[in-house]
Amino acid sequence: MERDLGQDMEWREDAERLAGQVTDPDSRWREPVASIPRHELVPRWWEPDGAGGWALRVGAADPGAWREAAYADRSLITRVGALHADHASVGDRAEGLPTSSATLPGLVVRMLRHGRLGDGLDTLDLGTGAGGLTAYAAHRLGDRYVTSLDIDPYLTSAAAERLQLLGLRPKFVTADATSDIPGRYDRIVSTVALPPGPGLRPVLRALRVGGRLVTTLARTMLIVTGWKDASGEVVGQIERDWAGFMLTRSGDDYDNYPPELAELFALARDAGADGGADGVEIGTGRYPVVDVSNAWEVRSMLEVTAPGVELDYREDGDRRTACLVHTDGSWARATADRTHPPTVHQAGPQRLWTTLERIRDRLNSTGGLPLYGAQVRITPDGVCHLSSGRWHAAMGDRSTTRD
């Protein structure tokens, strides 16, 4: 049964204000944003509790805060580890990494614009989440042209039920996008970060010749757009824009880093002044400790240069500590007060902090990195070939960058 939204007018002014914030006056996405009651898609969510965990927020318990959160241009975390906010009890606290969210509307609109969606084009929303992008696309293009896919059956079923109450009935599919994607599409817009290599192959197969792909690449903030040609390659560019999306999930749920990475993080954090382990190199870094995860261009270049690095950053008063780890056993820790040169411990096959400092050398000496605006060619095997002038790199085949 559809809800009569005309009986609930309170949210409309908020939605119109949000639409004015995230779209231009002549944007074809202005009316969908203004017409979708976003609060209905996110009845519960998680917020940081200030103690390293997550506190449950229930919209119906505080309607004013619910509307304020839903109609702000911000992401709302809906799932932490394996616990969705819809399944938590009042007073529950979650710990771990966010695994699903309602993406901030401004970024949703930007991804839709990059997708160049049009009438009569079959469109796949890869990564259902709370259903916001699906709702905007279905409202604009019509239900029959929109499919939404997620690996989590609860996300697809909840979004389908909530959108149906709004009078929207796009198709929902529960599947692992890194394994197989049913159907073929003219446009694929991914709001999960796809891994270059084999994990990209099903997406390429699902895209029709002449179709357009929009996605971010795993552990980067790079938005890649391109058109599929008759050879099966997707050719395009890295947009002069950025986005941070969660990694695609495959298989079992997770609450935090895999055990091997958790052990490496523990080793990196706890190694003493003498290193605490054989083969530890101790030195002084050139640059201040930085929260790499929030230094988006540097973070993206690190992934291109040393794929698979995971990050941790903490502050204790003036003390800053950054840790980098890799599944090959490499780890690094840099610690310093404020902006002083850090003491660096690192070990393993790669010297991760040294790699990071080389990237920062290049950034400081040239004023930029060769990422945004670079040309992209994604071959049918899922390998992403990047180029900008004399700089070339490949992601997904263990190739190294080169000038």
Side-chain angles (χ1 to χ4, degrees), residues 100-181:
S100 190
S101 69
T103 302
L104 64 157
L107 179 53
V108 171
V109 169
R110 281 158 45 205
M111 296 296 283
L112 289 166
R113 286 173 173 164
H114 286 308
R116 301 189 190 176
L117 279 57
D119 295 339
L121 297 175
D122 292 321
T123 298
L124 175 64
D125 169 17
L126 187 53
T128 300
L133 189 148
T134 304
Y136 295 161
H139 187 281
R140 171 65 181 80
L141 303 176
D143 297 347
R144 60 175 293 191
Y145 297 109
V146 179
T147 300
S148 186
L149 181 148
D150 204 286
I151 192 173
D152 188 332
Y154 177 71
L155 296 183
T156 53
S157 63
E161 180 179 341
R162 288 164 182 167
L163 264 63
Q164 184 173 344
L165 289 174
L166 306 183
L168 300 172
R169 295 178 176 81
K171 181 179 179 181
F172 285 87
V173 175
T174 302
D176 180 352
T178 65
S179 177
D180 182 54
I181 296 178

Side-chain angles (χ1 to χ4, degrees), residues 10-289:
E10 292 82 0
W11 62 270
R12 293 187 181 275
E13 183 176 343
D14 296 305
E16 289 172 359
R17 174 183 46 77
L18 176 63
Q21 182 180 353
V22 303
T23 69
D24 295 325
D26 63 347
S27 172
R28 60 179 175 167
W29 297 109
R30 190 182 188 92
E31 200 272 336
V33 176
S35 300
I36 297 298
R38 187 174 182 239
H39 69 285
E40 298 284 1
L41 305 181
V42 196
R44 293 174 167 223
W45 68 99
W46 297 104
E47 288 191 352
D49 64 4
W54 302 85
L56 180 68
R57 299 296 301 273
V58 179
D62 189 344
W66 188 12
R67 285 172 53 195
E68 182 179 353
Y71 297 100
D73 189 23
R74 55 173 284 203
S75 292
L76 299 177
I77 302 301
T78 53
R79 190 175 186 269
V80 174
L83 182 58
H84 198 287
D86 290 351
H87 301 145
S89 300
V90 175
D92 278 356
R93 180 178 181 273
E95 293 186 355
L97 300 174
T99 51
S100 190
S101 69
T103 302
L104 64 157
L107 179 53
V108 171
V109 169
R110 281 158 45 205
M111 296 296 283
L112 289 166
R113 286 173 173 164
H114 286 308
R116 301 189 190 176
L117 279 57
D119 295 339
L121 297 175
D122 292 321
T123 298
L124 175 64
D125 169 17
L126 187 53
T128 300
L133 189 148
T134 304
Y136 295 161
H139 187 281
R140 171 65 181 80
L141 303 176
D143 297 347
R144 60 175 293 191
Y145 297 109
V146 179
T147 300
S148 186
L149 181 148
D150 204 286
I151 192 173
D152 188 332
Y154 177 71
L155 296 183
T156 53
S157 63
E161 180 179 341
R162 288 164 182 167
L163 264 63
Q164 184 173 344
L165 289 174
L166 306 183
L168 300 172
R169 295 178 176 81
K171 181 179 179 181
F172 285 87
V173 175
T174 302
D176 180 352
T178 65
S179 177
D180 182 54
I181 296 178
R184 296 295 179 266
Y185 305 93
D186 302 300
R187 300 289 187 270
I188 298 179
V189 179
S190 178
T191 52
V192 290
L194 296 172
L200 256 179
R201 294 173 192 170
V203 179
L204 300 179
R205 289 195 297 266
L207 186 64
R208 292 180 178 136
V209 172
R212 184 169 175 85
L213 171 66
V214 181
T215 187
T216 56
L217 300 177
R219 299 185 185 85
T220 80
M221 284 68 180
L222 305 175
I223 298 177
V224 173
T225 63
W227 303 92
K228 185 174 180 178
D229 63 23
S231 72
E233 295 185 344
V234 170
V235 179
Q237 66 179 349
I238 296 176
E239 296 289 340
R240 296 187 183 276
D241 191 3
W242 50 84
F245 287 118
M246 299 172 190
L247 296 173
T248 51
R249 288 190 293 119
S250 180
D252 294 337
D253 287 327
Y254 54 88
D255 293 321
N256 217 308
Y257 293 109
E260 62 273 18
L261 289 184
E263 292 174 4
L264 277 174
F265 272 125
L267 175 61
R269 295 186 193 108
D270 298 338
D274 61 353
D278 293 338
V280 175
E281 177 184 299
I282 305 174
T284 301
R286 182 175 179 182
Y287 300 108
V289 175

